[in-house]
Amino acid sequence: MHVLEAEDPRRMGDFTLVGRLGAGGMGQVFLGRRADGRPAAVKVVRASLAEDPEFRARFRQEVAALHRVGGEWTAPVLGADTEATAPWVATEYVPGPSLHQVVGAGYGPLPEATLHSLTGRLARALRAIHGAGLVHRDLKPSNILLTVDGPRVIDFGIARALDTVAGGLRTSTGVVLGSPAFMSPEQVRGLRVTPAADMFGLGSVLVYAATGRLPFGSAELGLHALMFRIAEEEPDLTGVPHSLTGLVTACLAKDPALRPTAEQVAARIRTDAAEPWLPAELLAELGRLAARVLTEGTPSQDPAPAPRVVPEDPVRSARRWRPAVAAVVALAATAAGTALALRGDGGKDPAGSGAPGASQSAARSVPDAFTGAWEGVVEGDVEMPKRVLRLEITQGGPGDPVASYIDTGGEQQCGGRGALVSADADTLVVAGSRLTVQMPQGRCGPQARQTLTVRSPSILTWESGGLTADLHRSTGGPQAVPDEYVGVWVPANELYRQQGMVRIAQGPAGGRLVRIADEAGMEGGTEQVCESSYVVGAVSPVLALGPGTYTAESGGDCRQHDAVFLTVAGDELLLYSMAVDAEPAHYVRKS
């Protein structure tokens, strides 16, 4: 916590402001106190947002929703004024470190009994949030604060007020609704977000609390690889207690409809309020911290002396907090307040929540001419592609992972990321790539060393493993699929019109966006329709799809498809070809 600056307000409503806690995309966060001494985190909206009628209307709606949430394992609203010149809202100040700090830099993975208590309480918090008509959208360890009596979920609801403001507010302020490692598959694909997305986040949080690891890897693998894993790969649950693996697996289901609701989890995981919910040594330290914060009268820029944590149970003495936690706990009041700042601070959670390029100190050895997305046909040609490569290059210095790829062709789709070896104005050399994703499992090998040469602002020559191809600049982001592909397509030959269908959704490269249904024949005297889903590996010059994955409804006679390539010819004709077929099939847009 820091002292107030000259231009800071001294009072907001019934709250006297006594110090600065942090800043976020929405504005400044202060520590405030009511006349009865109760502390609060007071968020004051910055002037540019307050002047935006659209933001103010959404802010008013969200604050009203927050009042309905109540305080069951959340930070309740203590006061607000949405009509003031500087709108503000005050929530309960939570004197405790985040789950990220405790697991990542202090106590380590939590014991099984604590995990059960954490699960039940977080489910009840989500039940209250969802019951108020809100979706958290960013449930992660740094948004869960630990206190003596239980966890508190923070930063829900209000961030959505930033979502509809004109002028690209989220880009201009750095606010991102969702941290990559804790996003749900539907968030990754840019689809509609429902309360089920929070349940996926709950599953990821529980894996981290139980193991200290992330279920799909960290953002150090590259944002694209991480999001690909979330959408397509199974989570790594090694180390999760057997008593929770079934629940965690259900929460991490790719299909939102298959995940349990917060109500169902709360009913399944019961917690005994009479039992301590945390290990004794951790509870003792949190108690001392809470007492110190609640009785503190004036802010100070200097941390209190670091307390020494002595485990009460000698059997668990091996799990003493590491030395690094001394500073974390001593500064927990500051850290907890900063966490309330709508995550606009510069801190990092275990996900590496910032997008690629967030490390501004990294050496910019990659010339700007190389950065961005590139795609091209590696084997075959545009009319009859056999293998298509998508390459995404980011900034970085020697040894940094700067080049991620999706290689689609034949019977497989492979993804990896390579580190920079050398760079000059025209040529980039990337070391042999480390494999990050593969479909199907066990079929891919790492990419050989790649040499990239800029031929023009829009053409990059790629050389690797004896192959050479020209890659062209392509699009990225959540709406990378060209609009002319989006929609439903059926066979051009009316005789087969009822026997096949291609459905293409908008979304990012790496998303499972295409479903193809076709008739496989007869089974038991009835027609059998096989439906499979595909990951988009590239969007230009063709839509390259990895090997299909059949839905649960598909029968045993359905044949696993190889890679598929789609090309729009004219306004209403879609050419459908496979790497092993000689001639493409023709589809037309469904009327």
Side-chain angles (χ1 to χ4, degrees):
M1 182 167 58
H2 299 278
V3 296
L4 294 174
E5 297 181 1
E7 67 275 13
D8 289 337
R10 263 48 184 179
R11 190 173 186 83
M12 302 301 290
D14 295 333
F15 298 89
T16 300
L17 307 186
V18 298
R20 278 184 164 228
L21 293 175
M26 195 174 69
Q28 187 70 45
V29 185
F30 301 93
L31 175 63
R33 292 190 184 279
R34 291 195 311 200
D36 60 6
R38 187 174 185 181
V42 183
K43 304 178 179 75
V44 181
V45 174
R46 57 188 177 89
S48 60
L49 290 177
E51 295 171 358
D52 189 305
E54 187 176 5
F55 172 84
R56 188 181 283 266
R58 188 63 182 269
F59 180 67
R60 187 183 301 119
Q61 296 171 3
E62 296 303 332
V63 170
L66 290 179
H67 278 289
R68 298 196 301 270
V69 171
E72 188 175 24
W73 309 122
T74 64
V77 175
L78 303 181
D81 187 348
T82 60
E83 308 307 319
T85 303
W88 59 273
V89 60
T91 57
E92 179 185 44
Y93 180 75
V94 181
S98 70
L99 178 64
H100 170 214
Q101 291 169 313
V102 169
V103 173
Y107 187 84
L110 301 178
E112 186 171 354
T114 295
L115 291 171
H116 278 268
S117 294
L118 179 69
T119 303
R121 288 167 165 85
L122 292 181
R124 286 162 175 76
L126 291 176
R127 179 177 63 183
I129 293 169
H130 297 164
L134 296 174
V135 180
H136 192 295
R137 299 177 180 229
D138 198 17
L139 187 69
K140 59 183 178 181
S142 56
N143 277 340
I144 299 168
L145 305 184
L146 305 187
T147 70
V148 171
D149 61 342
R152 293 290 188 274
V153 175
I154 63 171
D155 282 5
F156 52 89
I158 293 179
R160 295 199 306 171
L162 298 171
D163 197 23
T164 57
V165 177
L169 178 64
R170 284 182 293 171
T171 300
S172 63
T173 64
V175 177
V176 177
L177 297 186
S179 302
F182 294 92
M183 282 184 175
S184 65
E186 54 268 31
Q187 285 174 291
V188 167
R189 295 167 182 155
L191 303 178
R192 179 172 175 266
V193 174
T194 68
D198 289 344
M199 303 311 295
F200 192 92
L202 175 62
S204 296
V205 164
L206 293 177
V207 173
Y208 178 76
T211 68
R213 294 180 291 96
L214 300 170
F216 299 99
S218 71
E220 293 177 357
L221 298 173
L223 181 62
H224 170 76
L226 175 60
M227 297 175 81
F228 189 99
R229 283 187 171 186
I230 290 172
E232 305 303 330
E233 298 282 306
E234 294 303 315
D236 180 4
L237 303 186
T238 305
V240 176
H242 179 72
S243 59
L244 285 174
T245 53
L247 174 62
V248 171
T249 299
C251 287
L252 295 177
K254 305 300 185 188
D255 185 348
L258 299 180
R259 298 172 204 151
T261 64
E263 177 68 39
Q264 291 170 333
V265 176
R268 175 176 172 180
I269 304 293
R270 300 186 179 276
T271 57
D272 188 346
E275 293 292 331
W277 87 283
L278 287 172
E281 65 270 27
L282 186 50
L283 277 175
E285 181 53 41
L286 292 181
R288 287 190 287 270
L289 171 65
R292 184 166 65 250
V293 172
L294 293 175
T295 58
E296 183 181 36
T298 57
S300 171
Q301 289 181 307
D302 299 321
R308 184 169 61 94
V309 178
V310 180
E312 297 180 0
D313 182 355
V315 175
R316 300 196 49 176
S317 61
R319 298 193 63 184
R320 294 172 187 261
W321 289 25
R322 292 185 289 275
V325 80
V328 171
V329 175
L331 293 171
T334 302
T338 303
L340 288 166
L342 292 183
R343 300 313 303 165
D345 56 16
K348 289 186 178 181
D349 61 25
S353 300
S359 176
Q360 299 299 320
S361 62
R364 293 173 60 86
S365 295
V366 175
D368 290 338
F370 287 92
T371 59
W374 305 82
E375 294 182 337
V377 176
V378 174
E379 296 181 26
D381 52 40
V382 175
E383 287 73 27
M384 189 61 64
K386 300 297 182 183
R387 180 181 170 193
V388 176
L389 178 70
R390 178 181 176 88
L391 189 64
E392 294 187 20
I393 303 174
T394 59
Q395 282 290 351
D400 292 336
V402 298
S404 59
Y405 70 90
I406 305 180
D407 191 343
T408 304
E411 301 176 345
Q412 60 204 41
Q413 187 175 63
C414 309
R417 191 162 178 83
L420 179 64
V421 175
S422 64
D424 58 32
D426 299 317
T427 304
L428 209 67
V429 178
V430 177
S433 303
R434 182 162 63 92
L435 196 64
T436 56
V437 291
Q438 52 182 322
M439 296 174 56
Q441 287 291 330
R443 298 294 293 274
C444 300
Q447 186 72 263
R449 174 175 291 220
Q450 304 171 71
T451 300
L452 313 171
T453 306
V454 172
R455 299 301 184 194
S456 74
S458 60
I459 300 177
L460 188 72
T461 297
W462 170 88
E463 297 180 65
S464 179
L467 294 175
T468 300
D470 283 341
L471 307 183
H472 297 258
R473 280 203 176 275
S474 187
T475 56
Q479 294 185 313
V481 175
D483 290 338
E484 59 264 29
Y485 284 92
V486 177
V488 178
W489 304 79
V490 294
N493 189 327
E494 293 187 4
L495 294 176
Y496 303 103
R497 190 64 54 87
Q498 304 301 319
Q499 299 177 5
M501 182 179 66
V502 178
R503 186 185 301 273
I504 306 173
Q506 181 57 269
R512 190 173 287 276
L513 306 174
V514 180
R515 288 184 175 270
I516 298 177
D518 56 71
E519 188 174 283
M522 307 289 288
E523 181 179 16
T526 61
E527 293 182 352
Q528 181 185 1
V529 176
C530 298
E531 182 175 342
S532 51
S533 59
Y534 295 78
V535 171
V536 173
V539 300
S540 176
V542 298
L543 209 64
L545 313 178
T549 300
Y550 284 105
T551 63
E553 292 77 15
S554 296
D557 289 344
C558 294
R559 182 176 63 86
Q560 185 73 44
H561 279 311
D562 297 326
V564 172
F565 303 105
L566 305 177
T567 306
V568 170
D571 294 332
E572 301 297 327
L573 183 63
L574 181 74
L575 304 182
Y576 172 119
S577 63
M578 299 178 64
V580 296
D581 288 344
E583 294 295 334
H586 291 186
Y587 281 68
V588 295
R589 192 178 295 277
K590 184 177 181 180
S591 57

